[in-house]
Amino acid sequence: MLRAHRPLGSVMLLRNPFSACLVAGSAVPRGGGGSGRRSLHGSSSSSTWRKPELGRLKLNFDGSSKHASRRASIGGVYRDHEGGFVLGYAERIGTATSSVAELAALRRGLELAVANGWRSVWIEGDALTVIDVVRDRARVRAEEDHKLCEEIAALLPMVDDMRVSHVRRQGNRVAHGFAKLGHGVARPRVWRDAPPEELLRQLQRDAEGK
């Protein structure tokens, strides 16, 4: 599990980049570039996947780490305002903790947003502590987690208009499916326009609100 301290906080609208990571008592400096809107949802969590509004893409991400071997993989999916599949990704990341896998999945999703020029993104995952880190409600302590947080912090200002929310596992099943696929791929995979057949049914169920 991700070791984190959660300070008290309420719903926030941030105009500075994400800067919530701590390791060995040292904080990532606050302030700096990035004037985009950061709409950070409150503590309520949905059990179903929700469509983004017109003009925004939604990223759902997930990490998978096998308990015994710690072999880990990541995955994620971008969808549009109609629930249509835009892009999915999956890859193995070697051995890692579940928290490292979750953070790596988010980092990869943001890298793809930047590479594709997507500036309005709704980020959603089922790892509450990772979401709380982005919301500036938690601070990580493990060194590996902190390094990933710094890399995420460098990417977030490149997304001008960002929403963040937590979803329960049943609302994150497509991202979980991509993460599971990651265990079996020989090299990093990116699907565009057409998703893998294994996930077609769940993508359709999400789009129909089931």
Side-chain angles (χ1 to χ4, degrees), residues 115-181:
N116 285 281
W118 299 333
R119 308 301 295 267
S120 182
V121 176
W122 180 352
I123 296 170
E124 187 172 77
D126 59 27
L128 181 57
T129 304
V130 172
I131 295 300
D132 277 347
V133 164
V134 181
R135 285 170 166 167
D136 206 6
R137 293 183 182 175
R139 292 173 170 82
V140 302
R141 303 187 186 281
E143 186 173 355
E144 218 174 343
D145 294 341
H146 182 268
K147 180 177 182 295
L148 282 163
C149 281
E150 287 185 320
E151 293 170 359
I152 291 168
L155 291 164
L156 284 177
M158 302 180 196
V159 180
D160 290 334
D161 186 7
M162 184 183 76
R163 295 176 66 183
V164 183
S165 64
H166 175 256
V167 67
R168 296 186 178 92
R169 173 56 63 90
Q170 55 265 48
N172 205 42
R173 286 175 291 194
V174 175
H176 181 66
F178 274 102
K180 286 180 66 178
L181 287 176

Side-chain angles (χ1 to χ4, degrees), residues 20-192:
C21 302
L22 285 180
V23 61
S26 299
V28 175
R30 293 180 177 273
S35 58
R37 289 182 290 154
R38 305 283 189 262
S39 177
L40 309 182
H41 289 200
S43 58
S44 59
S45 299
S46 174
S47 297
T48 58
W49 186 81
R50 296 164 292 171
K51 298 175 184 177
E53 62 270 36
L54 180 64
R56 191 191 299 271
L57 294 179
K58 188 172 186 181
L59 165 65
N60 283 82
F61 67 93
D62 197 25
S64 172
S65 179
K66 295 184 180 294
H67 294 295
S69 64
R70 291 181 68 191
R71 288 187 294 116
S73 63
I74 63 172
V77 58
Y78 275 95
R79 285 171 280 188
D80 64 20
H81 66 284
E82 295 181 334
F85 177 82
V86 176
L87 179 148
Y89 60 94
E91 63 183 270
R92 291 186 292 188
I93 60 170
T95 58
T97 64
S98 59
S99 63
V100 166
E102 292 283 358
L103 288 164
L106 173 56
R107 178 191 61 186
R108 180 61 175 142
L110 290 170
E111 287 173 346
L112 288 164
V114 172
N116 285 281
W118 299 333
R119 308 301 295 267
S120 182
V121 176
W122 180 352
I123 296 170
E124 187 172 77
D126 59 27
L128 181 57
T129 304
V130 172
I131 295 300
D132 277 347
V133 164
V134 181
R135 285 170 166 167
D136 206 6
R137 293 183 182 175
R139 292 173 170 82
V140 302
R141 303 187 186 281
E143 186 173 355
E144 218 174 343
D145 294 341
H146 182 268
K147 180 177 182 295
L148 282 163
C149 281
E150 287 185 320
E151 293 170 359
I152 291 168
L155 291 164
L156 284 177
M158 302 180 196
V159 180
D160 290 334
D161 186 7
M162 184 183 76
R163 295 176 66 183
V164 183
S165 64
H166 175 256
V167 67
R168 296 186 178 92
R169 173 56 63 90
Q170 55 265 48
N172 205 42
R173 286 175 291 194
V174 175
H176 181 66
F178 274 102
K180 286 180 66 178
L181 287 176
H183 285 292
V185 297
R187 58 184 61 87
R189 285 287 309 273
V190 175
W191 291 261
R192 299 177 186 274

Side-chain angles (χ1 to χ4, degrees), residues 186-203:
R187 58 184 61 87
R189 285 287 309 273
V190 175
W191 291 261
R192 299 177 186 274
D193 301 321
E197 289 186 8
E198 302 97 309
L199 299 177
L200 280 172
R201 183 177 179 182
Q202 188 57 53
L203 280 161

